[in-house]
Amino acid sequence: MSMRTPITLLAATSLTLTAGVASAFEPSESVEFIAPANPGGGWDTLVRTSSRVIQEEGLADEEFAPINTPGGGGAVAWSQIAKREGDAHTLFATSPPIILVPLTESSRYDHNDFTPIARLSTDYATVLVADDSDYEDINDLLDAMEEDPGLSVGGGSAPGSMDHIAMAGLADAAGLDASSVNYVPFSGGGDAMTNLMGGHVEAVVTGAGEAVGQIEDDDSDVRALGVSSSDRLGGSLGDVATFEEQGVDYTFDIWRGVMGPPDMPEDAVTYYQDLFKEMLETDRWAEERDKLGWIDAYQGSEEFGEFLDSQADEFSGILGELGLLDEES
Amino acid sequence: MSRLNVNQILALILAVFSVIFLIGAYQIPAFALPRPVDSDMFPKVLGYSLLILSGMLFLEKPQERDIPDADAQAESARLPLLLRPWSRVIITAIAIAAYALLLEPLGFVLASTLLSVGLTIYYGYRRHAINLAVSLGVVLALYLTMTKFMNVHLPPGVLPI
Amino acid sequence: MDALNNLMYGFGIALSPMNIVYVFCGVFAGTIIGMLPGLGPISAIALMIPITFSMDPSSGLILMAGVYYGAVFGGSTSSILLNAPGISGTVATSFDGYPMARKGLAGKALAIAAYSSFIGGTLSVIGLMLVAPLLSKVAISFGPAEYFALMVLGLTAVVSLSDKSLIKGLISGVVGIMVSLVGIDHQTSTERFTFGSAHLLDGIDFLVVALGIFALAEVFYMLLRGGGGKEQPRSAIGSLKLSRSETRQILPVAGRSSILGFFTGVLPGAGATIGSFLGYSMEKRLAKDGDTFGQGNIKGVAAPESANNAACTGSFVPLLTLGVPGSGTTAVLLGALLVMGITPGPAMLEDRPDVFWGVIASMYLGNIFLLVLNLPLIPLIAKILELPRALLLSLILIFCMIGVYGLAFSIYDLLLLLAFGLLGLGMRLFGFPAAPMILALILGGIMEQSMRRALQISGGDWMVFIEQPISLTLLIIAVLSVAGPLVRKAVKGAQARQAG
């Protein structure tokens, strides 16, 4: 339910916003905030949550209208947004698929075609096994995989997408052949975990945020062998060792951020990156973020752009190992 | 009438479709990583199944209800061209296509009201005031519920709502 | 005892003021939509999906369950009053319901339908409450191989759905699976039948197909066969009261048919249509006055009505425990749940008890609302059928469009809807049943993916499907059910005798 915010509040916040920044840009019409997917997924949650926080906290004068443009794992939305060159009133939610999809499938656009605005939060990959499994740490599992390449590792997404890349990258870092991972794609992380509990696969790779509910459950049937962060995570995942701690030099970020159309005016970019920075500092956001199990990981436009380039290098390396790199792109 | 019965004509259409489908199935590329059953197996099995089934349909005797009613056809020929049953289906289909294309430029409220009012008149309802009131009422109620309460964005278009 | 506690918990959720409003709105809207000829629960639920986007999942599902019950009941209303069943599940109701209406006993027929629906609904919710948690414990042992076997079993039921030509039913089924292949193959990220279009990468949404070949095709069909609606004699509804002896007559009938209907519904692929025919033919054989079935026998209304409602509830068992829709309608419900971020399956009972028990409790509520509030309103609601047909058709079209557009905000989908509407019209004209196509579209997709998943795990060893006891048993049942389409014959016999 969208409500109009009191004018006084609006005035006050826009003052703090512009203070110190030489940005003259303010949206002059409602901002289309696009989730390149169906309602309900990660992008959609990001778009709806952040526009709600921006609205309720009165951070912007104009409305942020959440719009779903699903199709092709994002490709449909990207091709539409790529045409809005220089448009300062379009934003979209983004995460690793903006790099992975163009590398493996036929999206004509990749992250270089858009303007990075800000990275907002991140999640990490985790490897789970059944509670009664013999594998005590990640090295046990990796050794077993080396011995038996048929050992099945389930994940929630298709081969060549996030879960698979996270696992293949881990295997690669441990000196195994990335393409030897017997990755079994399920229809989602939840589906994969259910199959792990039923003993149908040996291990599952999924997002830590998605797994936390399962792990913290007292009579839980699954446990985590490691996380892909460089420092230990907080909360109920606090006693799960990182891969680096266990001697596998490997980190993997499942980041989420915001991008805009090609050649977005610079003052607009500045305005939005500051807006999102401010949004991350509100209590309202903290509340929502904790509910979703996300971890703040803000980066401004420039930094985010460099980060994206390094991610692209890393992913195309792993995809190359797997033989999944699309030759044409 | 030709010498082929209804089922035989349908069977031929389906056979052509299954051949086209099979051609498509044979063009599905193999996946880079080895898979016990690759993406092309199911399409191929289905294509051949449909081909066999259309063969069986070719041999099946049509049931009475499958043959279009000759009386109805004669009756409809007396109506003006635009009001014949098939014309109504075709015009409705065209109206739906037009609606799809105009939805975003015109906006949800205007496009939907136009479609509803227009088709209702075309189907022969003559009390225009009731028509307009009901159509606009339903459309507006839907639009406002969706956009104001459900936070679902529908194209606003040219109307300032 | 445990179930009772859980149920109380469920009522705690369902009885929140907002949720009561949702149940009532759902039942009411469902009754109206279900009453419109051609629009059944599938369309009714599909049309509600955009509205549930921003709802709390348990409220959303509560609304949907209300719509579902309402639509099935609404379907019987038009079966009785107009001899125009809104959905196939209420076809059997018209056999005796319409003759009763013509004798001026429409009110009595409606009341019997409502009471029987209530009995069927309530008994089967008890069944659901007891069976689902048990099954959900077993469900965890359902891996890809077992799912594959279950889908095979479900698809064999497609055979029994084709009451006309078996070959045409199979063709519908095969085409349904073909449609499910469009898009990116989840096992390999390979594009299939997308013709290079980004719009097709995610596949063709199930709802586009469902609304197209059901609702839109029905509108086209009515345009083509136009005028028919006006000739229906509008009989007075008459008293809604039942005498004591009538009540005594229908109670055992409703009880038996409820149990039969529930178990028919639990089987994937069967559902309300088969349940209602089975209930009808069973009672016809059991009744001493079986030869008056078809002339307005009250038992002939009670049996299919309690069976179809019970089957509706029964089909929630596989949906909530295995995440497998047992019918076209539950398939749409599954789609709705996924939109709300809930994946039904073995973990749901544990992860989202609020949804699970909230829905069960709201089913009780839905049934009560149906009886207490809806029944007295029936004469009023029936007035909607008097809305000018021309206006009604246009509005149905608008609802179809919003249902589809609200799904993905895609113009492309609207054009696809039109294409499937025309396909559905063709299928109707040439006697191809639509239900197998819908079911195959859902089950076929899961079947392919689970089969390949199972083989990926086993390293290509096909023995996985017969080594596991559950999978083997399911496959054996599937083979038996193909070998013995005796049930279908019995149903057909009942129909033929009915017609004669």
Side-chain angles (χ1 to χ4, degrees), chain A residues 38-40 68 70-73 76 105-106 152 156-159 182-187 191 194-195 197-198 200-201 214 217, chain C residues 53 140-144 146 184-189 191 198-199 201-202 338-339 341 346-347 350-351 407-409 453 456-457:
Chain A
N38 271 314
N68 296 88
V76 172
E105 288 154 23
S106 51
S152 49
S157 55
N182 185 16
Y183 176 79
V184 185
F186 287 89
S187 60
D191 188 20
T194 311
N195 274 278
M197 290 180 235
H200 307 292
V201 286
Q214 284 298 340
D217 200 355
Chain C
F53 274 174
I140 199 120
S141 49
F142 269 65
E146 287 79 7
I184 290 179
D185 172 18
H186 201 67
Q187 296 299 307
T188 59
S189 303
E191 287 178 36
H199 293 282
L201 287 178
D202 283 351
L338 294 175
V339 167
E350 220 171 276
D351 293 349
L407 209 63
F409 310 99
R453 229 170 253 152
Q456 183 70 33
I457 294 172

Side-chain angles (χ1 to χ4, degrees), chain A residues 85-98:
Chain A
E85 223 165 285
D87 181 356
H89 293 91
T90 299
L91 299 173
F92 67 99
T94 183
S95 65
I98 185 115

Side-chain angles (χ1 to χ4, degrees), chain C residues 247-263:
Chain C
T247 315
R248 222 174 295 136
Q249 273 188 55
I250 64 161
L251 276 181
V253 173
R256 278 194 297 267
S257 297
S258 300
I259 297 168
L260 180 70
F262 177 71
F263 286 105

Side-chain angles (χ1 to χ4, degrees), chain B residues 40-104:
Chain B
D40 58 341
M41 191 187 100
F42 253 72
K44 285 176 188 164
V45 169
L46 288 172
Y48 285 116
S49 309
L50 190 61
L51 202 54
I52 293 167
L53 282 169
S54 47
M56 290 163 75
L57 184 65
F58 193 88
L59 301 175
E60 191 180 61
K61 252 182 89 182
Q63 287 161 305
E64 261 173 67
R65 66 219 287 187
D66 297 345
I67 302 165
D69 193 350
D71 282 354
Q73 277 174 354
E75 197 184 313
S76 77
R78 271 178 268 127
L79 289 165
L81 181 65
L82 277 179
L83 292 178
R84 284 180 199 166
W86 271 108
S87 314
R88 293 210 278 184
V89 171
I90 292 164
I91 289 181
T92 306
I94 294 171
I96 292 174
Y99 173 84
L101 299 175
L102 291 175
L103 179 61
E104 277 169 8

Side-chain angles (χ1 to χ4, degrees), chain C residues 387-441:
Chain C
L387 252 182
R389 220 179 140 77
L391 195 51
L392 212 56
L393 287 180
S394 316
L395 290 178
I396 294 175
L397 282 178
I398 299 282
F399 273 100
C400 289
M401 310 281 232
I402 301 172
V404 165
Y405 185 75
L407 209 63
F409 310 99
S410 155
I411 296 303
Y412 198 86
D413 280 353
L414 287 177
L415 297 174
L416 267 180
L417 169 76
L418 177 59
F420 278 103
L422 293 171
L423 176 69
L425 176 64
M427 288 170 64
R428 268 208 78 155
L429 290 176
F430 294 108
F432 288 90
M437 184 165 158
I438 286 294
L439 209 56
L441 171 59

Side-chain angles (χ1 to χ4, degrees), chain C residues 146-220:
Chain C
E146 287 79 7
Y147 270 92
F148 168 74
L150 189 65
M151 293 307 120
V152 172
L153 177 59
L155 282 173
T156 56
V158 165
V159 175
S160 55
L161 275 175
S162 40
D163 52 343
K164 295 166 192 161
S165 149
L166 178 61
I167 295 174
K168 287 181 176 174
L170 287 172
I171 290 175
S172 285
V174 169
V175 173
I177 308 182
M178 284 176 165
V179 175
S180 80
L181 297 179
V182 174
I184 290 179
D185 172 18
H186 201 67
Q187 296 299 307
T188 59
S189 303
T190 309
E191 287 178 36
R192 297 192 288 190
F193 303 104
T194 57
F195 312 105
S197 158
H199 293 282
L200 288 174
L201 287 178
D202 283 351
I204 296 175
D205 196 286
F206 165 74
L207 281 176
V208 176
V209 183
L211 277 175
I213 68 173
F214 281 99
L216 192 56
E218 188 61 34
V219 172
F220 283 147

